[in-house]
Amino acid sequence: MYEDLLAGLNPAQREAVTTVTGPVLVLAGPGSGKTRVLAHRVAYLLRAAGAHPRAIMAVTFTNKAAAEMRERINRLVGEAVPSSTGWKGLTIGTFHSICARVLRQEAASASLSDAYVIFDDGEQLTAAKQALRDLKLDEKLYRPEAMRGAISKAKNELIKPADFQADTYWAEVARRVYARYEEILSANNALDFDDLLCRTVYLLRDVPEVLHRYQDRYQYLLVDEFQDTNTAQYELVRLLADKRRNIFAVGDEDQSVYSWRGADYRNVQRFREDFPGAHVILLEQNYRSTQTILDIANAVIVRNTHRTPKTLRTDRGRGLEITIHEAYDEADEAAFVVSTIQRLISRGDAKLGDCAVMYRTNAQSRALEDAFVARGMPYRLVGGTRFYQRKEIKDALAYLRLTHNPADNLSLTRIINVPPRSIGDKTISALAAWSTELGLSMAAALALVAGDLSSPALPDDVRSRFTKPPEHPFGSAAQRSLIAFYRVYAGWMAAKEHLTVAGLLDKIAEEAGYATWLRDGTEEGEDRWENLQELHSVAAHYDDFPPELRLTAFLEEVALVSDQDELIEDNDRATLLTLHTAKGLEFPVVFIVGLEENILPHSRSQEDPDQMEEERRLMYVGVTRAKDRLYLVRAFRRTIWGRSEVNEPSRFLRDVAQAAKGTKDGRRSMDDARGTGASRNAAFGGVSSRGAVAPAPSRQPAAVSQPSPTIGGQTSGASRQSSAAAKSSDGRPLQFKPGDRVNHGLFGEGIVLKSASTLDDEEVTVAFPGKGTKTLLASFAKLRKVTG
DNA sequence: GGGTGCCTCGAGGAC
DNA sequence: CGAGGCACCC
């Protein structure tokens, strides 16, 4: 029975789907079909176990994953369960969105106003700065960013200010800042991201009635990416599952890459302790990658000490060899990526949408974007300067938020003088001080200045406090400006009940003078206006919501969107994204760029073995995204903060190369079977030359324009790497030695000072008379020896 | 009150 | 190199 649901699942997957009662822990390797298992399990619960949709909660880490699961379940169950039973009553969402909804629902029990706004990390920082200022602490001495981090960490670990361990003076200061920070958020009727989680936990802990209601409702819990849960998230799940114990957790310790966000992969072990007798299921069968790619992944991850060994298997066969490429600088690296993609497409080996370029830090996307633009190749950038981070979008949202929640002083401060309304810093500070004195929000104080005692900005209990508006500290000019602003603002407050969100946005843009101010006649102005229109169309999705809910729902959604959510499939664009964002995705063709020490692994992990293990997991995540083709790329030199830096090749390249050496026997690259040292030099001539040291235009035939060092081939770094470890001058004779006279296309004649072999090339330091000393990559710089 | 320009410091990843 | 902060000028 239900064979149609289980068809095509392997025995382990089937077990995971059908073990419906009791705790289940699924350890799922990359590409092992865990999303499939999750969706099938929900479908199975609904159809075979007779579970009510309302009894199921599935938690994911991104909205995109939630949407995908929803869609899959829809496909599996859509017809089987009549919509009248409301199978859409399923709770599927991110931790944050589910918690936001619970808190809204239970606002009274959680001592919250249901009009609360959500502060993002930028606003967290602003609030932390405010707290420092309130406590008269020096921002130079106590970095706001560090304070924000400490507060966030504490919240993720469910530590309240009173419980904050202050064993150093700095920590004592942090504790005070944390306490003040909480007061500020409360005064603004705001919750930050971390509050969404910890306040929900406190609610469940402190109010048994609410806990029991949710425990009774959610009889089946499913949690994806369990290795990425932090303490608050773990505790939330544990509390909810405590009664029925029907908890299904899926995770992979090797893919834990969010420790900086408080995630602790040891929660996987903790699960086994807290839910004794848990059914543990291993998914090791990989349906995504070739064995060659899995071997590379294994070579990287096997060096981590804190892990449960597991082996990934695939039936896909060895497939193509991977390619390692050494570029000169980031521009050359990007050019290699773009021209390789072009070649794959022209040969019919891939579509543009099959290709993804992954990097460690967002800043690396710049050079890649330049190269894609230069070649006229469409791409989509995931993350980076995100839509919702743009000034015009933040301004517009601040207007809406202030209209929604008059207590939001941060939003008021942000927009009260944008566009300029002659309300300067002095006036704003005075307004802030005066409102604090009165124990009111700034918007409420504005209402008093305007003499509007029936203003919705004034809390009910406050309205009766005044028979007439109190004396205020503003001069006549300032007063006039403030009242003018208050009048239009009051109009929005009155209109928010009957206007749609889009309609309200129009009204505000018009009456705030924001539209005219934005469209200043410049091209950038038009771009900004178009962005605003985009927000407008997002808002229009909420037109059909119940009037009392739509503004709330809209603001909640935009506060909780993530970078990954932008990822809509697109066959006609290559994807540029960070390794973190790549988690959970797969692509036929994957480039991992910037494989250099201090980039990947990141410089901040150099001193910390635990962090280094996380870098390794990040690399592992990247490698296992690839289905067929994998390119590992590094640049000899790279511009960081406007300065050119030279970094060693990444240790991960070494691991990969050594592993390949042990298993292969002269296997050739998928791209070129002629990967000899001589033709390899041509690789650098074949790509566009935009480095500081420009080589002459390629004179190489097109056919050999792209050979690369290959794993397993005679020219791979592997064979050299092992001997290089023994001695710097390895088996391969260096071409250049100190004292040699050489000629360079740009710098002319020079003298070699020293020469050293790198992973698969040669670095030559040359003194050019009158032009200084340069370190050059032999294959790229096209150095010619000058004889006689 | 608002704008401009210089200086400093900084960018790891994100719900 | 870039954003944000601050001083100085209009």
Side-chain angles (χ1 to χ4, degrees):
Chain A
M1 53 178 204
Y2 309 109
E3 270 308 312
D4 60 317
L5 252 184
L6 304 176
L9 297 178
N10 69 34
Q13 290 176 329
R14 196 177 276 239
E15 192 185 355
V17 167
T18 58
T19 310
V20 292
T21 51
V24 179
L25 177 64
V26 178
L27 303 174
S32 61
K34 74 181 167 69
T35 313
R36 191 152 180 247
V37 163
L38 279 163
H40 279 254
R41 182 179 170 89
V42 172
Y44 189 85
L45 285 171
L46 291 170
R47 282 178 52 185
H52 192 282
R54 275 180 53 87
I56 298 171
M57 178 193 282
V59 193
T60 61
F61 268 78
T62 65
N63 292 305
K64 179 177 180 279
E68 195 180 320
M69 201 189 299
R70 223 172 246 289
E71 202 207 316
R72 279 183 184 232
I73 295 167
N74 197 359
R75 280 207 301 269
L76 290 169
V77 181
E79 276 92 31
V81 178
S83 61
S84 61
T85 66
W87 70 268
K88 284 181 181 173
L90 281 167
T91 301
I92 302 179
T94 63
F95 271 108
H96 289 86
S97 70
I98 290 174
C99 287
R101 234 165 297 148
V102 170
L103 290 174
R104 196 88 65 189
Q105 204 75 42
E106 312 294 334
S109 308
S111 334
L112 282 169
S113 148
D114 61 0
Y116 73 81
V117 290
I118 299 168
F119 276 4
D120 65 17
D121 43 10
E123 287 146 348
Q124 279 185 302
L125 190 63
T126 307
K129 283 181 186 169
Q130 183 62 49
L132 283 165
R133 237 170 290 141
D134 290 352
L135 296 172
K136 311 228 175 343
L137 290 162
D138 187 352
E139 288 189 21
K140 297 268 155 46
L141 240 52
Y142 303 101
R143 310 283 295 279
E145 186 49 53
M147 289 293 161
R148 193 201 64 80
I151 293 168
S152 177
K153 185 164 178 286
K155 289 188 176 187
N156 284 326
E157 290 171 8
L158 298 171
I159 296 166
K160 296 181 182 180
D163 309 319
F164 194 90
Q165 278 297 319
D167 39 18
T168 64
Y169 185 67
W170 191 93
E172 168 56 24
V173 170
R175 191 188 59 74
R176 286 164 53 210
V177 173
Y178 180 13
R180 178 64 198 141
Y181 172 94
E182 291 290 85
E183 289 170 9
I184 292 169
L185 258 66
S186 163
N188 282 271
N189 192 12
L191 297 182
D192 63 28
F193 281 142
D194 305 312
D195 281 332
L196 295 176
L197 305 175
C198 67
R199 294 290 285 264
T200 306
V201 171
Y202 296 146
L203 169 69
L204 298 179
R205 272 189 191 171
D206 299 343
V207 189
E209 182 271 319
V210 174
L211 175 66
H212 293 142
R213 192 144 42 80
Y214 280 88
Q215 283 179 336
D216 286 334
R217 169 171 174 181
Y218 290 112
Q219 298 168 34
Y220 300 97
L221 295 168
L222 299 91
V223 187
D224 194 9
E225 306 277 14
F226 201 76
Q227 76 284 352
D228 284 331
T229 52
N230 61 34
T231 301
Q233 289 162 333
Y234 180 86
E235 183 62 9
L236 182 70
V237 171
R238 198 192 61 75
L239 279 168
L240 287 175
D242 203 33
K243 186 164 179 183
R244 308 266 176 177
R245 304 178 80 77
N246 291 333
I247 163 116
F248 182 82
V250 187
D252 180 3
E253 291 158 296
D254 289 337
Q255 293 186 66
S256 161
V257 291
Y258 284 104
S259 72
W260 48 276
R261 233 166 71 186
D264 187 349
Y265 62 86
R266 287 171 303 184
N267 283 340
V268 175
Q269 283 310 314
R270 207 161 292 151
F271 182 93
R272 298 171 104 145
E273 292 157 22
D274 285 349
F275 297 96
H279 207 87
V280 180
I281 298 168
L282 256 69
L283 300 183
E284 292 180 305
Q285 179 74 32
N286 177 292
Y287 296 97
R288 179 184 296 153
S289 311
T290 64
Q291 190 61 50
T292 300
I293 289 168
L294 293 186
D295 288 347
I296 296 294
N298 191 55
V300 171
I301 200 68
V302 78
R303 288 172 187 261
N304 270 1
T305 53
H306 297 115
R307 68 183 290 266
T308 318
K310 74 169 163 305
T311 321
L312 299 176
R313 298 183 302 267
T314 182
D315 292 334
R316 290 205 46 202
R318 297 213 59 79
L320 300 161
E321 289 308 314
I322 71 150
T323 299
I324 294 180
H325 181 82
E326 187 173 67
Y328 178 69
D329 60 10
E330 69 271 16
D332 184 41
E333 175 181 78
F336 167 77
V337 169
V338 173
S339 54
T340 303
I341 291 175
Q342 278 181 331
R343 193 163 35 84
L344 288 172
I345 291 169
S346 68
R347 288 184 186 174
D349 287 338
K351 297 190 299 283
L352 196 47
D354 293 339
C355 305
V357 192
M358 301 173 188
Y359 36 83
R360 180 63 179 83
T361 66
N362 278 311
Q364 289 169 255
S365 71
R366 191 61 166 276
L368 290 160
E369 284 185 82
D370 288 349
F372 276 88
V373 170
R375 304 283 186 100
M377 297 221 326
Y379 66 91
R380 62 199 163 132
L381 182 74
V382 188
T385 39
R386 282 122 62 192
F387 179 72
Y388 289 100
Q389 301 282 7
R390 292 168 194 272
K391 181 182 166 357
E392 60 274 21
I393 301 302
K394 291 181 91 165
D395 287 346
L397 289 175
Y399 274 108
L400 288 172
R401 280 167 47 152
L402 180 64
T403 305
H404 174 60
N405 169 25
D408 187 347
N409 291 340
L410 262 65
S411 289
L412 182 139
T413 308
R414 180 181 180 93
I415 50 84
I416 192 168
N417 202 33
V418 178
R421 305 188 173 90
S422 301
I423 302 173
D425 293 344
K426 278 205 179 133
T427 308
I428 296 173
S429 311
L431 181 64
W434 187 57
S435 63
T436 308
E437 210 176 291
L438 292 169
L440 295 173
S441 70
M442 291 166 77
L446 270 186
L448 294 180
V449 173
D452 182 2
L453 288 180
S454 58
S455 170
L458 283 167
D460 294 333
D461 59 313
V462 173
R463 267 179 231 151
S464 51
R465 222 167 84 190
F466 304 97
T467 47
K468 65 177 176 58
E471 291 283 311
H472 63 73
F474 303 103
S476 63
Q479 179 186 338
R480 212 175 311 123
S481 307
L482 290 174
I483 292 175
F485 175 76
Y486 176 75
R487 293 248 164 87
V488 278
Y489 169 58
W492 307 330
M493 298 254 280
K496 72 177 173 188
E497 302 293 336
H498 60 267
L499 283 182
T500 62
V501 182
L504 183 60
L505 194 55
D506 285 336
K507 187 177 168 70
I508 289 171
E510 167 68 25
E511 295 177 4
Y514 196 80
T516 1
W517 178 71
L518 204 59
R519 307 180 79 174
D520 56 359
T522 64
E523 211 174 300
E524 294 80 33
E526 281 310 301
D527 287 348
R528 295 200 189 100
W529 174 249
E530 278 168 30
N531 287 331
L532 206 55
Q533 294 315 300
E534 220 173 300
L535 185 71
H536 188 274
S537 53
V538 176
H541 292 157
Y542 290 82
D543 285 357
D544 298 335
F545 273 57
E548 69 279 9
L549 262 182
R550 53 195 171 200
L551 185 54
T552 307
F554 170 75
L555 289 175
E556 185 174 295
E557 184 199 295
V558 300
L560 297 177
V561 288
S562 75
D563 282 351
Q564 289 206 353
D565 301 334
E566 305 162 25
L567 264 176
I568 17 158
E569 253 102 273
D570 190 340
N571 274 336
D572 304 319
R573 286 166 192 276
T575 304
L576 271 53
L577 74 182
T578 65
L579 288 160
H580 280 90
T581 331
K583 190 150 75 84
L585 306 175
E586 59 177 30
F587 299 90
V589 182
V590 168
F591 294 81
I592 302 177
V593 302
L595 275 160
E596 298 128 50
E597 287 294 303
N598 298 324
I599 305 285
L600 177 60
H602 193 269
S603 55
R604 293 201 191 181
S605 62
Q606 293 287 355
E607 308 293 317
D608 184 338
D610 285 338
Q611 292 232 33
M612 188 54 83
E613 293 217 342
E614 182 146 320
E615 296 294 305
R616 212 169 255 293
R617 292 193 292 268
L618 200 50
M619 175 72 181
Y620 176 76
V621 164
V623 168
T624 54
R625 299 309 95 197
K627 290 160 95 164
D628 307 312
R629 290 178 158 83
L630 177 64
Y631 296 82
L632 304 179
V633 193
R634 80 137 175 145
F636 165 64
R637 71 184 339 147
R638 179 177 298 279
T639 307
I640 301 165
W641 289 343
R643 288 179 32 173
S644 181
E645 312 246 340
V646 175
N647 283 309
E648 296 278 301
S650 168
R651 65 193 65 197
F652 303 145
L653 277 180
R654 268 158 227 223
D655 302 336
V656 165
Q658 279 176 14
K661 177 179 169 270
T663 54
K664 308 287 173 6
D665 43 51
R667 196 181 289 269
R668 293 308 178 91
S669 156
M670 60 187 176
D671 289 314
D672 194 291
R674 289 152 299 185
T676 66
S679 72
R680 194 165 50 77
N681 286 348
F684 295 93
V687 294
S688 76
S689 48
R690 299 197 286 150
V693 185
S698 171
R699 273 153 280 134
Q700 304 297 330
V704 290
S705 67
Q706 280 301 328
S708 296
T710 71
I711 285 303
Q714 287 106 325
T715 62
S716 83
S719 54
R720 278 178 214 153
Q721 191 55 49
S722 53
S723 42
K727 208 164 191 185
S728 81
S729 77
D730 55 16
R732 173 185 55 130
L734 290 171
Q735 291 160 294
F736 301 99
K737 57 183 190 301
D740 280 353
R741 286 176 63 195
V742 290
N743 190 292
H744 181 270
L746 199 63
F747 301 125
E749 255 184 53
I751 306 283
V752 172
L753 298 181
K754 80 177 190 222
S755 173
S757 67
T758 66
L759 184 64
D760 52 21
D761 209 319
E762 181 175 350
E763 280 172 23
V764 193
T765 309
V766 186
F768 295 100
K771 303 198 175 67
T773 302
K774 316 275 179 194
T775 300
L776 308 161
L777 208 57
S779 65
F780 186 81
K782 291 207 164 42
L783 288 174
R784 275 189 297 111
K785 220 175 253 194
V786 179
T787 45

